[in-house]
Amino acid sequence: MAEFASYFYLSGIILLFLIIVNIRVIFPRNAYTYVMKRKLLLFTAVFLMLLTLLPACDAQNAGSLKSITRPYIAQYECIEAKFGEENYLEKFDYIKLTLKDKENMEICYKLKNSERTIVKSKYDFDVESKRLTADVGVLGYKFKQSTIIENGKFTISKSIGGKQLVMKFKAS
């Protein structure tokens, strides 16, 4: 696709050069052709500006607005949860953590054969270190947790009652 764009760009420049060079030959000198020459030159100048500015705008590599502003705001799904040696994720239909905006988050989980539960909380995110810090109260436990989000993934590790709770999340 990039080769096609460069060939298109080059052919446009050549065509404009030929138009500018042959403008005297195409139009004889009179008042009507003078107006037409001005319009053609104005069109050529605008077209040349577009040809020089458009290749600088590479939409494929530019990314979305979300990736430019706050890429960490997303919904994260728990892909692994262990409490000690026990696979804790088997007790749930799902566990999802959603960063709603720049300070509010929700943890949504559903125990098997139970109702869905939503826990709302506040968080802070340091863009430079990619560190997410939140005060969370889930399943009767309240704790402050800090983790680093890398490539849309993060791990929460907390010692509760002598056992280690490890939860791995991935952006969905």
Side-chain angles (χ1 to χ4, degrees):
M1 187 68 177
E3 288 181 26
F4 174 75
S6 62
Y7 288 131
F8 177 72
Y9 180 71
L10 185 62
S11 64
I13 290 176
I14 292 171
L15 178 66
L16 287 173
F17 177 74
L18 291 174
I19 289 173
I20 291 170
V21 168
N22 293 319
I23 201 162
R24 278 192 191 165
V25 177
I26 295 172
F27 296 115
R29 295 181 186 246
N30 66 30
Y32 176 74
T33 56
Y34 178 72
V35 172
M36 290 303 293
K37 279 185 194 180
R38 285 183 53 189
K39 287 182 180 179
L40 186 59
L41 285 174
L42 180 63
F43 172 76
T44 304
V46 169
F47 192 68
L48 274 175
M49 284 177 37
L50 285 175
L51 279 178
T52 55
L53 294 176
L54 285 179
C57 302
D58 188 6
Q60 220 170 13
N61 295 330
S64 67
L65 181 61
K66 181 179 176 183
S67 68
I68 295 169
T69 55
R70 292 185 175 93
Y72 56 90
I73 294 180
Q75 183 176 44
Y76 298 89
E77 187 169 354
C78 185
I79 54 174
E80 182 181 329
K82 290 189 175 188
F83 188 54
E85 295 298 317
E86 179 185 0
N87 183 358
Y88 207 57
L89 196 56
E90 289 177 349
K91 296 181 178 186
F92 294 86
D93 285 335
Y94 59 84
I95 302 172
K96 295 179 182 176
L97 188 143
T98 306
L99 302 180
K100 291 291 197 180
D101 52 38
K102 65 180 185 177
E103 63 181 27
N104 296 307
M105 66 182 251
E106 287 182 354
I107 299 173
C108 181
Y109 62 91
K110 184 176 181 298
L111 286 163
K112 293 199 186 248
N113 302 322
S114 183
E115 296 277 327
R116 178 176 82 153
T117 305
I118 298 175
V119 178
K120 295 184 180 192
S121 182
K122 299 262 186 211
Y123 77 93
D124 184 44
F125 188 80
D126 182 9
V127 178
E128 291 178 11
S129 65
K130 298 181 181 177
R131 181 168 294 280
L132 172 73
T133 305
D135 290 317
V136 182
V138 179
L139 299 174
Y141 299 106
K142 280 196 169 249
F143 57 91
K144 184 172 188 168
Q145 184 66 40
S146 186
T147 187
I148 294 177
I149 298 178
E150 290 182 296
N151 300 323
K153 299 177 184 176
F154 64 90
T155 302
I156 296 173
S157 180
K158 185 73 176 168
S159 180
I160 300 173
K163 290 184 180 180
Q164 195 70 17
L165 173 66
V166 178
M167 301 175 79
K168 294 183 181 181
F169 289 86
K170 180 179 178 185
S172 53

